[in-house]
Amino acid sequence: MKQTDFIAELEFLTTEQGGRNNPAHSGYRPHIEFDNYPDYLTSGQQTYIGQKTVELGTKVKAEIAIIGTEYFSKRLYKNMEFKFCEGSRTIGFGKIIEIINADLKCEDDIDQKTINLNLYPTDIKNRLKSDYRKNYGEAIWCIQKALISNKDFRSNRILRALIYTGNKDIVHLKKMIELARTDWRDLLLNAEYEHPNKRVRNFDNEFGKENIKASR
């Protein structure tokens, strides 16, 4: 069995609440959707602590081993909530009470709104979706990794500049991410200036409102 990633408190719904028809047994592996990460489902094997079976409508503590750990690197935290499902049907809800896999633990006291792309302004998410279409998932993944690994990316202005300079091309977007890793000021120069001394866009503003009106 895969090594335990975290310990959680689980609450199973009753059949009447839309849950399973039968009790769950240790080794059960439903899908997991973490709070504020609806874009990525993983599966989590449940090993119940102190018992082999859990009755519907009750709570239990369990060791959880997930797949896709790379995606959740530095993103999980104590008291983080999730739901577990069979297909589209929610079976129950959980809350992390201890993280065992240190690679998954996010920085202490970090604001989740700064590292989770899903919590950034709607205009950023909509522009990503419209610009990158079939590469939308890969674009999110690349930017999300940048947010986790480098504090310089954690601003609305930098993300809008990245998306704009990516020019709807996933390969070019990756090049712009590397440019920003080297010096984020070079990224802003590319995104906001026509000439070294002429600023024509301000990506502190939402997409559609970024153009700076020329003064008379």
Side-chain angles (χ1 to χ4, degrees), residues 80-212:
M80 187 176 190
E81 297 181 348
F82 59 90
K83 62 183 179 181
F84 49 100
C85 315
E86 291 180 0
S88 60
R89 181 172 57 146
T90 299
I91 303 302
F93 297 90
K95 180 172 67 174
I96 295 175
I97 57 178
E98 182 182 356
I99 296 174
I100 306 300
N101 184 346
D103 291 338
L104 301 179
K105 188 177 181 180
C106 75
E107 301 172 32
D108 291 335
D109 301 320
I110 196 167
D111 183 355
Q112 289 296 310
K113 291 181 180 178
T114 67
I115 64 167
N116 185 345
L117 187 58
N118 292 315
L119 301 179
Y120 273 77
T122 300
D123 71 292
I124 290 175
K125 294 178 287 185
N126 287 345
R127 183 64 177 261
L128 263 172
K129 186 174 293 186
S130 64
D131 276 9
Y132 292 92
R133 298 182 182 274
K134 65 178 181 179
N135 293 315
Y136 174 61
E138 187 175 0
I140 287 179
W141 174 230
C142 291
I143 293 177
Q144 183 65 71
K145 285 196 297 183
L147 288 173
I148 294 290
S149 64
N150 194 319
K151 293 180 180 180
D152 289 340
F153 286 88
R154 299 172 192 173
S155 82
N156 297 342
R157 185 183 180 194
I158 293 295
L159 291 192
R160 291 187 182 109
L162 273 176
I163 296 166
Y164 177 81
T165 56
N167 200 28
K168 304 181 181 181
D169 181 87
I170 190 66
V171 174
H172 198 64
L173 176 66
K174 292 177 181 179
K175 289 180 180 178
M176 292 299 100
I177 290 174
E178 291 308 311
L179 175 66
R181 287 186 193 279
T182 302
D183 194 330
W184 57 267
R185 291 167 295 188
D186 288 337
L187 173 73
L188 292 181
L189 188 64
N190 275 271
E192 296 187 339
Y193 289 79
E194 274 189 2
H195 304 292
N197 297 316
K198 186 179 180 181
R199 190 182 186 193
V200 296
R201 284 173 288 274
N202 178 6
F203 282 113
D204 279 322
N205 299 327
E206 294 179 357
F207 282 115
K209 300 178 181 179
E210 72 273 16
N211 290 333
I212 298 173

